[in-house]
Amino acid sequence: MLEVHAVSKTFHSGTPNEVRSLRGVNLDLAAGSWVIIIGTNGSGKSTLLNAVAGTFLVDEGNIRLAGRDVTRWPEHARAALIGRVFQNPFSGSSPSLTIQENLSLAARRGLSRGLGWGLKESLVARMRDEVGRLNMGLENRLENAIGSLSGGQRQALTLLMATWLCPELLLLDEHTAALDPKSADLVIALTEHVVARDQLTTLMVTHSMHQAASLGDRLIMMHRGQIIHDFRGAEKRRLRLDDLLARFEEVRRAEQLDESAAQMLAEKYI
Amino acid sequence: MSLLIGTFTIGCILSLLALGVFISFRIFAFPDITADGSITLGASVAATLLVRGVSPPLASLAGFFAGMLAGACTGTLHTRFKINPLLSGILVMTALYSINLHIMGKSNVPLLSVTTIVTQSEHIGMKLMRGATSFNLAGWEVSVRDASVLGAILWAVALTGGLLYWFFRTNLGMAMRATGDNVQMIRALGVNDANMIVFGVAISNGLVALSGALLAQYQGFADVGMGIGMVVWGLASVIIGEALVGTNQLGLTLSGTVMGSVLFRLLVAVALRWGLSPNDLKLITAGFVFCALIVPQFLRKKWPRSAHA
Ligand SMILES: Nc1ncnc2c1ncn2[C@@H]1O[C@H](COP(=O)(O)OP(=O)(O)OP(=O)(O)O)[C@@H](O)[C@H]1O
Ligand SMILES: [Mg+2]
């Protein structure tokens, strides 16, 4: 479904601030699989998702999605295939538009937008239905500006928007990190529900080891712009919280080792 | 009375300018000052066509499309060539000065002896009143000519406002509103935001130019300098409208902008009556907008809580 092949991305190339955010990343996603991405801060998780979504074009490598080479496609063109939820609950919706206007925008993701009436009766009926299923009491507030809602409510709606038209690929970037624990649980339950219902191919970044252990059918760990671990099938199912923490500790120690080695070399030779 | 009606009429004509400014400044958060040039563009295109005998509605519409073209240029400079919005507007506005001179062939085109929307609506009004030159409105003597011009302009503004309200609730229009609100989101939903900005700034300047076309017909001439300071004028109207009705609902804000324009014109007329020198008008307008921009900030600093509620 998604094939990321030898993708590299360097920011501020050629300046002192140069960051090699992705270094030859390879990733192959089968249709219907749900991949969890974990990794230290700055390891390139968001950059990988942005590269797939087309927020920027990659320096090297190519990306195929649903049988098409999308490497050079601009972000808005790729959006026809991709549903996205961001870490910031305010990034996924338009605050001054109403709930129903936001949903109706999502109902035409990747389709042409002409002078057709945005809020058709049948569409609004489906909105009332689906928003009602969130159990947030929002179905009676469809005409309220979405900016007046809480972060949790907005994130739940953003997830609804991202999956309104079944996307070929769903990208979730720490979409519960900014929420209080109760809202986070709610949004995770909703995520599990839609991913299972529509058999969505999903790429989800998380900082929660608990989510990483309990969700998805495959887990990859990133470090310094590379994928350093890839657990799938039975191996992923066997993974426990403690295993993940141990892996993190390993990375951390290797890192320190790197640094102390570098320091030693520096002392010796400089 | 005639003065009051005249004030209302000009307020309504300039409300189209205010609607244009509302679209660029408020919906797209695009500080577009092309409007200073495109209001003159609309006037000069319409006036030149009228002198050649083109029908007034058609000439006004031509002004509208010319304005759209100018707006599209500004939008393209910004989106395609990554020039800062203000500078894009300045470039096009400056270029328009020469273009307007070329269109008119001189710096001023009088419209005193040609058929315009004004003479047409006067004609229709007279016909409806069966030749009477004035009628009595609640004790006031109202000239049929003045009233019919105001009626025609009101009708045009209502039609434009209604069209805009409808447009901004279509799929395309909603995508435009969301573009100004949250670019990240609208891209993720598959909208080419650059196209939206170009199209939106085009519509904005189309309205401004239409306003110029009507203004030229109302005052009886098009002049190459008539656009100076018009953006600030439109902005003042938008701000007054927001103070009147708030910013919560699209329909309200659109009508608030129209009301703001009329009210501002009224205030200016009163001030001029009281002896304000017309030379100081633009200074006062700029001062007013300055205050309107900083007062909310000031209030928020002083009483953070009440400003949030
Ligand atoms: N648009 C950008 N411009 C410049 N540098 C960037 C950009 N995006 C990412 N980076 C850099 O790339 C590196 C990887 O960032 P990225 O956001 O992918 O990390 P992450 O794994 O998502 O981390 P976190 O867990 O903190 O979200 C960081 O050093 C970051 O500063
Ligand atoms: Mg990140």
Side-chain angles (χ1 to χ4, degrees):
Chain A
M1 178 56 68
L2 171 69
E3 296 163 43
V4 176
H5 182 244
V7 160
S8 295
K9 178 71 191 178
T10 304
F11 289 107
H12 310 299
S13 174
T15 71
N17 298 328
E18 184 173 286
V19 199
R20 294 181 62 195
S21 299
L22 295 177
R23 318 183 193 205
V25 171
N26 290 298
L27 183 64
D28 233 323
L29 251 67
S33 65
W34 181 354
V35 178
I36 309 287
I37 307 180
I38 57 173
T40 46
N41 290 104
S43 55
K45 307 179 297 288
S46 300
T47 309
L48 177 60
L49 259 59
N50 287 336
V52 170
T55 309
F56 46 75
L57 296 182
V58 297
D59 302 335
E60 278 168 51
N62 51 57
I63 300 170
R64 292 179 64 82
L65 184 56
R68 270 160 284 189
D69 186 343
V70 299
T71 316
R72 299 267 125 210
W73 288 23
E75 184 173 10
H76 62 85
R78 291 190 212 185
L81 308 171
I82 296 176
R84 256 193 120 173
V85 183
F86 303 93
Q87 175 171 354
N88 184 343
F90 305 130
S91 297
S93 45
S94 178
S96 64
L97 269 60
T98 63
I99 297 179
Q100 52 184 6
E101 286 172 333
N102 271 284
L103 286 168
S104 79
L105 284 171
R108 297 201 70 78
R109 176 174 53 79
L111 303 175
S112 69
R113 292 172 203 264
L115 296 179
W117 189 244
L119 295 166
K120 292 214 181 66
E121 204 50 58
S122 57
L123 183 63
V124 175
R126 188 184 152 196
M127 285 178 195
R128 210 166 285 127
D129 213 43
E130 303 233 0
V131 172
R133 237 175 284 146
L134 300 177
N135 283 323
M136 290 176 160
L138 296 177
E139 60 277 18
N140 303 317
R141 296 172 59 188
L142 289 182
E143 295 189 28
N144 288 26
I146 218 168
S148 65
L149 306 184
S150 73
Q153 292 172 326
R154 279 180 79 170
Q155 205 65 326
L157 287 169
T158 307
L159 187 58
L160 200 58
M161 288 167 65
T163 55
W164 192 270
L165 300 175
C166 213
E168 300 283 343
L169 176 68
L170 179 62
L171 297 178
L172 309 170
D173 190 354
E174 299 193 38
H175 66 310
T176 62
L179 306 181
D180 61 275
K182 204 166 145 247
S183 309
D185 289 346
L186 227 142
V187 169
I188 285 296
L190 182 64
T191 310
E192 288 191 86
H193 172 73
V194 282
V195 170
R197 183 193 63 195
D198 298 335
Q199 298 284 304
L200 296 176
T201 313
T202 306
L203 205 49
M204 167 173 159
V205 176
T206 182
H207 259 151
S208 153
M209 289 305 122
H210 179 72
Q211 288 174 10
S214 62
L215 299 175
D217 48 32
R218 182 174 166 194
L219 181 141
I220 62 180
M221 190 165 176
M222 290 190 70
H223 184 58
R224 294 194 166 180
Q226 287 176 319
I227 295 176
I228 54 167
H229 289 299
D230 189 345
F231 306 98
R232 4 182 154 194
E235 206 182 357
K236 159 73 173 97
R237 259 172 274 133
R238 274 202 308 273
L239 269 183
R240 294 289 166 262
L241 212 64
D242 299 337
D243 305 327
L244 288 175
L245 291 174
R247 299 285 179 170
F248 259 101
E249 188 58 23
E250 237 171 66
V251 170
R252 210 176 56 80
R253 223 176 295 139
E255 183 102 294
Q256 272 175 355
L257 218 60
D258 273 4
E259 264 158 32
S260 52
Q263 201 174 5
M264 200 177 71
L265 287 175
E267 277 167 12
K268 262 199 174 152
Y269 295 101
I270 301 175
Chain B
M1 194 61 203
S2 179
L3 200 73
L4 188 65
I5 293 186
T7 305
F8 265 103
T9 310
I10 295 192
C12 282
I13 292 176
L14 290 179
S15 73
L16 296 177
L17 159 81
L19 285 172
V21 169
F22 171 76
I23 292 174
S24 55
F25 274 70
R26 286 297 190 253
I27 291 191
F28 283 93
F30 189 108
D32 174 34
I33 61 170
T34 319
D36 272 17
S38 51
I39 191 168
T40 317
L41 177 66
S44 57
V45 166
T48 310
L49 289 177
L50 286 172
V51 170
R52 304 252 156 88
V54 175
S55 97
L58 219 59
S60 308
L61 214 60
F64 174 80
F65 283 114
M68 278 192 82
L69 203 64
C73 288
T74 305
T76 309
L77 284 184
H78 171 59
T79 56
R80 182 104 185 78
F81 301 103
K82 311 285 174 230
I83 299 173
N84 148 313
L86 266 177
L87 190 54
S88 309
I90 291 175
L91 289 178
V92 174
M93 180 189 80
T94 308
L96 279 177
Y97 190 84
S98 301
I99 292 174
N100 288 332
L101 278 174
H102 269 296
I103 292 174
M104 295 195 285
K106 50 192 169 182
S107 61
N108 187 300
V109 175
L111 292 172
L112 293 176
S113 51
V114 292
T115 312
T116 64
I117 289 223
V118 173
T119 60
Q120 277 186 332
S121 41
E122 280 173 357
H123 191 71
I124 294 172
M126 303 281 233
K127 246 190 197 156
L128 286 177
M129 295 302 289
R130 297 198 186 77
T133 53
S134 65
F135 62 96
N136 202 309
L137 185 79
W140 294 85
E141 186 81 359
V142 177
S143 131
V144 168
R145 283 167 170 260
D146 295 348
S148 37
V149 176
L150 177 59
I153 298 292
L154 269 178
W155 181 82
V157 169
L159 183 72
T160 315
L163 272 176
L164 276 181
Y165 183 61
W166 164 79
F167 173 73
F168 279 120
R169 289 160 60 86
T170 61
N171 287 314
L172 180 63
M174 279 198 288
M176 282 197 169
R177 282 159 62 205
T179 302
D181 223 15
N182 186 344
V183 175
Q184 188 180 23
M185 166 242 194
I186 203 66
R187 275 190 206 138
L189 291 180
V191 173
N192 184 336
D193 53 300
N195 287 352
M196 290 294 135
I197 291 175
V198 172
F199 193 33
V201 177
I203 292 181
S204 157
N205 281 283
L207 289 172
V208 173
L210 181 60
S211 170
L214 295 180
L215 187 62
Q217 297 176 61
Y218 183 73
Q219 63 190 15
F221 63 88
D223 185 90
V224 75
M226 67 192 273
I228 296 170
M230 281 309 194
V231 174
V232 180
W233 183 285
L235 204 52
S237 311
V238 171
I239 291 171
I240 294 179
E242 285 173 348
L244 286 177
V245 300
T247 55
N248 289 333
Q249 262 183 0
L250 178 69
L252 274 180
T253 20
L254 288 177
S255 41
T257 302
V258 175
M259 288 192 283
S261 170
V262 174
L263 188 62
F264 189 52
R265 184 71 212 179
L266 219 54
L267 289 176
V268 166
V270 170
L272 289 175
R273 252 319 245 295
W274 278 353
L276 173 76
S277 153
N279 291 344
D280 292 336
L281 199 53
K282 298 215 194 287
L283 179 65
I284 302 280
T285 311
F288 169 78
V289 171
F290 171 72
C291 292
L293 290 179
I294 61 155
V295 165
Q297 273 177 32
F298 181 72
L299 287 181
R300 218 169 300 142
K301 243 182 229 161
K302 268 234 139 133
W303 296 286
R305 214 153 296 155
S306 62
H308 266 288

